PDB file of all heavy atoms in Angstrom:
ATOM      1  N   GLU A  88    -153.069-188.262 -32.851  1.00  0.00           N
ATOM      2  CA  GLU A  88    -153.316-187.067 -32.039  1.00  0.00           C
ATOM      3  C   GLU A  88    -151.998-186.639 -31.424  1.00  0.00           C
ATOM      4  O   GLU A  88    -150.978-187.323 -31.604  1.00  0.00           O
ATOM      5  CB  GLU A  88    -154.343-187.376 -30.944  1.00  0.00           C
ATOM      6  CG  GLU A  88    -153.943-188.542 -30.057  1.00  0.00           C
ATOM      7  CD  GLU A  88    -153.718-188.197 -28.599  1.00  0.00           C
ATOM      8  OE1 GLU A  88    -154.564-187.529 -28.005  1.00  0.00           O
ATOM      9  OE2 GLU A  88    -152.670-188.595 -28.049  1.00  0.00           O
ATOM     10  N   THR A  90    -151.447-185.538 -27.923  1.00  0.00           N
ATOM     11  CA  THR A  90    -151.247-185.606 -26.467  1.00  0.00           C
ATOM     12  C   THR A  90    -150.225-186.661 -26.042  1.00  0.00           C
ATOM     13  O   THR A  90    -149.310-186.382 -25.260  1.00  0.00           O
ATOM     14  CB  THR A  90    -152.605-185.881 -25.777  1.00  0.00           C
ATOM     15  OG1 THR A  90    -153.560-184.974 -26.303  1.00  0.00           O
ATOM     16  CG2 THR A  90    -152.508-185.725 -24.269  1.00  0.00           C
ATOM     17  N   ARG A 119    -155.699-190.492 -39.075  1.00  0.00           N
ATOM     18  CA  ARG A 119    -156.632-191.516 -38.595  1.00  0.00           C
ATOM     19  C   ARG A 119    -157.282-192.175 -39.804  1.00  0.00           C
ATOM     20  O   ARG A 119    -157.788-191.468 -40.687  1.00  0.00           O
ATOM     21  CB  ARG A 119    -157.728-190.900 -37.696  1.00  0.00           C
ATOM     22  CG  ARG A 119    -157.168-190.255 -36.438  1.00  0.00           C
ATOM     23  CD  ARG A 119    -158.259-189.720 -35.513  1.00  0.00           C
ATOM     24  NE  ARG A 119    -157.639-188.933 -34.445  1.00  0.00           N
ATOM     25  CZ  ARG A 119    -158.287-188.305 -33.489  1.00  0.00           C
ATOM     26  NH1 ARG A 119    -159.601-188.364 -33.434  1.00  0.00           N
ATOM     27  NH2 ARG A 119    -157.632-187.622 -32.568  1.00  0.00           N
ATOM     28  N   GLU A 121    -160.026-193.107 -40.875  1.00  0.00           N
ATOM     29  CA  GLU A 121    -161.481-193.061 -40.742  1.00  0.00           C
ATOM     30  C   GLU A 121    -162.124-193.105 -42.117  1.00  0.00           C
ATOM     31  O   GLU A 121    -161.468-192.852 -43.123  1.00  0.00           O
ATOM     32  CB  GLU A 121    -161.907-191.751 -40.070  1.00  0.00           C
ATOM     33  CG  GLU A 121    -161.267-191.530 -38.724  1.00  0.00           C
ATOM     34  CD  GLU A 121    -162.050-190.544 -37.879  1.00  0.00           C
ATOM     35  OE1 GLU A 121    -163.216-190.836 -37.592  1.00  0.00           O
ATOM     36  OE2 GLU A 121    -161.486-189.503 -37.522  1.00  0.00           O
ATOM     37  N   GLY A 126    -165.553-182.840 -43.300  1.00  0.00           N
ATOM     38  CA  GLY A 126    -165.029-182.553 -41.958  1.00  0.00           C
ATOM     39  C   GLY A 126    -164.322-183.724 -41.316  1.00  0.00           C
ATOM     40  O   GLY A 126    -163.891-183.641 -40.167  1.00  0.00           O
ATOM     41  N   LEU A 128    -161.261-186.355 -42.123  1.00  0.00           N
ATOM     42  CA  LEU A 128    -160.183-186.689 -43.051  1.00  0.00           C
ATOM     43  C   LEU A 128    -159.274-187.749 -42.464  1.00  0.00           C
ATOM     44  O   LEU A 128    -159.312-188.011 -41.261  1.00  0.00           O
ATOM     45  CB  LEU A 128    -159.347-185.419 -43.309  1.00  0.00           C
ATOM     46  CG  LEU A 128    -160.070-184.315 -44.065  1.00  0.00           C
ATOM     47  CD1 LEU A 128    -159.537-182.960 -43.680  1.00  0.00           C
ATOM     48  CD2 LEU A 128    -159.924-184.546 -45.554  1.00  0.00           C
ATOM     49  N   GLN A 133    -154.193-180.399 -36.472  1.00  0.00           N
ATOM     50  CA  GLN A 133    -154.643-179.924 -35.154  1.00  0.00           C
ATOM     51  C   GLN A 133    -153.699-178.850 -34.652  1.00  0.00           C
ATOM     52  O   GLN A 133    -152.505-178.871 -34.936  1.00  0.00           O
ATOM     53  CB  GLN A 133    -154.601-181.055 -34.116  1.00  0.00           C
ATOM     54  CG  GLN A 133    -155.731-182.047 -34.181  1.00  0.00           C
ATOM     55  CD  GLN A 133    -155.682-183.051 -33.026  1.00  0.00           C
ATOM     56  OE1 GLN A 133    -154.681-183.177 -32.317  1.00  0.00           O
ATOM     57  NE2 GLN A 133    -156.767-183.772 -32.839  1.00  0.00           N
ATOM     58  N   GLU A 137    -151.086-178.460 -24.181  1.00  0.00           N
ATOM     59  CA  GLU A 137    -151.042-179.349 -23.030  1.00  0.00           C
ATOM     60  C   GLU A 137    -150.344-178.579 -21.906  1.00  0.00           C
ATOM     61  O   GLU A 137    -149.237-178.070 -22.103  1.00  0.00           O
ATOM     62  CB  GLU A 137    -150.245-180.641 -23.335  1.00  0.00           C
ATOM     63  CG  GLU A 137    -150.559-181.322 -24.670  1.00  0.00           C
ATOM     64  CD  GLU A 137    -151.963-181.921 -24.780  1.00  0.00           C
ATOM     65  OE1 GLU A 137    -152.673-182.021 -23.766  1.00  0.00           O
ATOM     66  OE2 GLU A 137    -152.359-182.260 -25.917  1.00  0.00           O
ATOM     67  N   ARG A 266    -166.171-188.354 -24.013  1.00  0.00           N
ATOM     68  CA  ARG A 266    -165.001-188.346 -24.882  1.00  0.00           C
ATOM     69  C   ARG A 266    -164.541-189.767 -25.186  1.00  0.00           C
ATOM     70  O   ARG A 266    -164.645-190.651 -24.372  1.00  0.00           O
ATOM     71  CB  ARG A 266    -163.846-187.544 -24.274  1.00  0.00           C
ATOM     72  CG  ARG A 266    -164.208-186.165 -23.790  1.00  0.00           C
ATOM     73  CD  ARG A 266    -164.160-185.133 -24.897  1.00  0.00           C
ATOM     74  NE  ARG A 266    -162.837-185.016 -25.434  1.00  0.00           N
ATOM     75  CZ  ARG A 266    -162.518-185.333 -26.696  1.00  0.00           C
ATOM     76  NH1 ARG A 266    -163.423-185.807 -27.517  1.00  0.00           N
ATOM     77  NH2 ARG A 266    -161.309-185.179 -27.141  1.00  0.00           N
ATOM     78  N   TYR A 270    -157.821-191.613 -21.589  1.00  0.00           N
ATOM     79  CA  TYR A 270    -156.963-191.003 -20.572  1.00  0.00           C
ATOM     80  C   TYR A 270    -157.628-189.925 -19.723  1.00  0.00           C
ATOM     81  O   TYR A 270    -157.065-189.470 -18.747  1.00  0.00           O
ATOM     82  CB  TYR A 270    -155.653-190.472 -21.170  1.00  0.00           C
ATOM     83  CG  TYR A 270    -155.732-189.624 -22.431  1.00  0.00           C
ATOM     84  CD1 TYR A 270    -156.382-188.401 -22.455  1.00  0.00           C
ATOM     85  CD2 TYR A 270    -155.086-190.048 -23.597  1.00  0.00           C
ATOM     86  CE1 TYR A 270    -156.403-187.624 -23.602  1.00  0.00           C
ATOM     87  CE2 TYR A 270    -155.104-189.271 -24.753  1.00  0.00           C
ATOM     88  CZ  TYR A 270    -155.765-188.064 -24.753  1.00  0.00           C
ATOM     89  OH  TYR A 270    -155.788-187.284 -25.885  1.00  0.00           O
ATOM     90  N   TYR A 271    -158.835-189.507 -20.082  1.00  0.00           N
ATOM     91  CA  TYR A 271    -159.435-188.381 -19.342  1.00  0.00           C
ATOM     92  C   TYR A 271    -159.902-188.758 -17.941  1.00  0.00           C
ATOM     93  O   TYR A 271    -160.426-189.846 -17.711  1.00  0.00           O
ATOM     94  CB  TYR A 271    -160.628-187.813 -20.123  1.00  0.00           C
ATOM     95  CG  TYR A 271    -160.221-187.149 -21.415  1.00  0.00           C
ATOM     96  CD1 TYR A 271    -160.528-187.711 -22.645  1.00  0.00           C
ATOM     97  CD2 TYR A 271    -159.507-185.957 -21.404  1.00  0.00           C
ATOM     98  CE1 TYR A 271    -160.154-187.102 -23.830  1.00  0.00           C
ATOM     99  CE2 TYR A 271    -159.114-185.339 -22.584  1.00  0.00           C
ATOM    100  CZ  TYR A 271    -159.446-185.921 -23.789  1.00  0.00           C
ATOM    101  OH  TYR A 271    -159.061-185.317 -24.954  1.00  0.00           O
ATOM    102  N   ALA A 288    -167.595-181.217 -34.146  1.00  0.00           N
ATOM    103  CA  ALA A 288    -166.664-180.813 -33.081  1.00  0.00           C
ATOM    104  C   ALA A 288    -165.506-180.002 -33.656  1.00  0.00           C
ATOM    105  O   ALA A 288    -164.731-180.492 -34.475  1.00  0.00           O
ATOM    106  CB  ALA A 288    -166.134-182.038 -32.348  1.00  0.00           C
ATOM    107  N   LEU A 289    -165.421-178.751 -33.233  1.00  0.00           N
ATOM    108  CA  LEU A 289    -164.281-177.914 -33.645  1.00  0.00           C
ATOM    109  C   LEU A 289    -163.056-178.289 -32.830  1.00  0.00           C
ATOM    110  O   LEU A 289    -161.918-178.117 -33.266  1.00  0.00           O
ATOM    111  CB  LEU A 289    -164.592-176.439 -33.386  1.00  0.00           C
ATOM    112  CG  LEU A 289    -165.635-175.775 -34.265  1.00  0.00           C
ATOM    113  CD1 LEU A 289    -165.986-174.400 -33.701  1.00  0.00           C
ATOM    114  CD2 LEU A 289    -165.082-175.631 -35.679  1.00  0.00           C
ATOM    115  N   GLY A 290    -163.299-178.763 -31.623  1.00  0.00           N
ATOM    116  CA  GLY A 290    -162.178-179.120 -30.765  1.00  0.00           C
ATOM    117  C   GLY A 290    -162.674-179.726 -29.480  1.00  0.00           C
ATOM    118  O   GLY A 290    -163.883-179.693 -29.194  1.00  0.00           O
ATOM    119  N   GLY A 312    -155.480-180.347 -21.288  1.00  0.00           N
ATOM    120  CA  GLY A 312    -155.198-179.776 -22.615  1.00  0.00           C
ATOM    121  C   GLY A 312    -156.384-179.902 -23.543  1.00  0.00           C
ATOM    122  O   GLY A 312    -157.469-180.353 -23.147  1.00  0.00           O
ATOM    123  N   GLY A 316    -159.431-178.733 -34.460  1.00  0.00           N
ATOM    124  CA  GLY A 316    -159.220-179.220 -35.831  1.00  0.00           C
ATOM    125  C   GLY A 316    -159.211-178.048 -36.805  1.00  0.00           C
ATOM    126  O   GLY A 316    -160.209-177.334 -36.931  1.00  0.00           O
TER     127      GLY A 316
HETATM  128  P1  LIG B   1    -160.070-185.405 -30.458  1.00  0.00           P
HETATM  129  O1  LIG B   1    -161.440-185.073 -29.963  1.00  0.00           O
HETATM  130  O2  LIG B   1    -159.843-186.784 -30.917  1.00  0.00           O
HETATM  131  O3  LIG B   1    -159.093-185.057 -29.256  1.00  0.00           O
HETATM  132  O4  LIG B   1    -159.671-184.416 -31.621  1.00  0.00           O
HETATM  133  C1  LIG B   1    -159.700-183.009 -31.449  1.00  0.00           C
HETATM  134  C2  LIG B   1    -160.246-182.328 -32.700  1.00  0.00           C
HETATM  135  O5  LIG B   1    -159.502-182.721 -33.848  1.00  0.00           O
HETATM  136  C3  LIG B   1    -161.669-182.712 -33.045  1.00  0.00           C
HETATM  137  O6  LIG B   1    -162.602-181.969 -32.257  1.00  0.00           O
HETATM  138  C4  LIG B   1    -161.740-182.314 -34.509  1.00  0.00           C
HETATM  139  O7  LIG B   1    -161.916-180.910 -34.658  1.00  0.00           O
HETATM  140  C5  LIG B   1    -160.350-182.688 -34.993  1.00  0.00           C
HETATM  141  N1  LIG B   1    -160.394-184.016 -35.636  1.00  0.00           N
HETATM  142  C6  LIG B   1    -160.316-185.228 -35.039  1.00  0.00           C
HETATM  143  N2  LIG B   1    -160.394-186.215 -35.960  1.00  0.00           N
HETATM  144  C7  LIG B   1    -160.516-185.606 -37.167  1.00  0.00           C
HETATM  145  C8  LIG B   1    -160.633-186.080 -38.518  1.00  0.00           C
HETATM  146  N3  LIG B   1    -160.607-187.377 -38.821  1.00  0.00           N
HETATM  147  N4  LIG B   1    -160.752-185.174 -39.518  1.00  0.00           N
HETATM  148  C9  LIG B   1    -160.764-183.848 -39.243  1.00  0.00           C
HETATM  149  N5  LIG B   1    -160.638-183.345 -37.986  1.00  0.00           N
HETATM  150  C10 LIG B   1    -160.528-184.203 -36.957  1.00  0.00           C
HETATM  151  C11 LIG B   1    -157.747-185.216 -29.305  1.00  0.00           C
HETATM  152  O8  LIG B   1    -157.115-185.447 -30.304  1.00  0.00           O
HETATM  153  C12 LIG B   1    -157.069-184.979 -27.979  1.00  0.00           C
HETATM  154  N6  LIG B   1    -155.635-185.233 -28.138  1.00  0.00           N
HETATM  155  C13 LIG B   1    -157.335-183.571 -27.489  1.00  0.00           C
HETATM  156  C14 LIG B   1    -156.642-183.290 -26.194  1.00  0.00           C
HETATM  157  C15 LIG B   1    -155.476-182.618 -26.026  1.00  0.00           C
HETATM  158  N7  LIG B   1    -157.045-183.669 -24.996  1.00  0.00           N
HETATM  159  C16 LIG B   1    -156.149-183.259 -24.088  1.00  0.00           C
HETATM  160  N8  LIG B   1    -155.206-182.644 -24.711  1.00  0.00           N
END
Side-chain angles (χ1 to χ4, degrees):
E88 56 117 49
T90 311
R119 298 183 189 179
E121 303 201 61
L128 293 151
Q133 282 186 346
E137 314 293 349
R266 310 275 298 116
Y270 48 63
Y271 293 110
L289 290 170

